[in-house]
Amino acid sequence: MSTALRPRRLVNVAMLTGVWCGLWQDISAANLLAGALIGFVATWPGIGPPALGGVRPIPLIILGLVVLKDLVRSTVSVASEILTPTDHTEEAVVAVQVPPEGRDHLLLLTIAITLTPGTAVVDTDPDTGTLYLHLLHQDKRDETVIHTKRLVNLACAALPSGNRGASA
């Protein structure tokens, strides 16, 4: 089968076309045509970085569900903290070391962690792979470090980068 018509490429072009229409907030013939054209060019073999592993849908779905669960749980926790008259917050900043294979996902991790209320990434060091997290509750420090490492593992499983075992 020719490279131009492989099912995987057609799916990627369709998704890129959908994103293009979403960016323009209009599904019109012109946007569909432009999105498809841009999608075909963007997925043309030899253009862009080499494919290192693609997207693995099941781990990506699990990652999304974990982040969604974090969002709901954190929102309830912060809302109850706001509604109670007693202040139980004891803030802390914790450094979490990301292994070399997870460093390609620092942006994704920063967004996923900062999205959840009560926790925010205040700094990242891409050279050492360190995320500095601000916590609303210091007593959840160990739990947060373990959970962040789980997010790193899920991100690496969902979006393999090919840098496994790379040294800093």
Side-chain angles (χ1 to χ4, degrees):
M1 180 177 281
S2 83
T3 307
L5 299 177
R6 288 207 170 123
R8 184 175 186 160
R9 181 168 183 223
L10 292 176
V11 169
N12 287 336
V13 169
M15 290 187 334
L16 289 170
T17 302
V19 169
W20 181 260
C21 289
L23 289 171
W24 286 101
Q25 298 179 351
D26 183 33
I27 299 176
S28 65
N31 281 341
L32 289 171
L33 184 62
L37 181 65
I38 290 169
F40 269 108
V41 170
T43 60
W44 195 263
I47 293 179
L52 298 172
V55 175
R56 296 194 175 129
I58 300 299
L60 186 61
I61 290 169
I62 293 170
L63 176 63
L65 291 174
V66 168
V67 171
L68 182 64
K69 180 180 164 188
D70 291 347
L71 179 61
V72 170
R73 186 184 320 163
S74 298
T75 301
V76 169
S77 173
V78 170
S80 67
E81 185 69 46
I82 292 169
L83 295 174
T84 57
T86 309
D87 183 12
H88 296 289
T89 59
E90 220 175 298
E91 299 175 36
V93 174
V94 61
V96 179
Q97 191 67 34
V98 175
E101 62 270 12
R103 293 182 187 168
D104 288 339
H105 306 297
L106 284 179
L107 179 60
L108 173 66
L109 295 167
T110 299
I111 292 168
I113 293 166
T114 303
L115 180 67
T116 58
T119 308
V121 176
V122 292
D123 195 15
T124 59
D125 185 351
D127 296 328
T128 63
T130 306
L131 292 170
Y132 296 94
L133 311 178
H134 175 269
L135 307 178
L136 198 56
H137 299 100
Q138 178 177 325
D139 60 334
K140 295 185 179 180
R141 175 183 295 234
D142 294 336
E143 176 186 334
T144 302
V145 171
I146 291 168
H147 186 69
T148 301
K149 291 183 179 188
R150 179 175 183 225
L151 290 175
V152 170
N153 290 337
L154 284 170
C156 289
L159 304 164
S161 65
N163 283 341
R164 300 207 184 274
S167 61

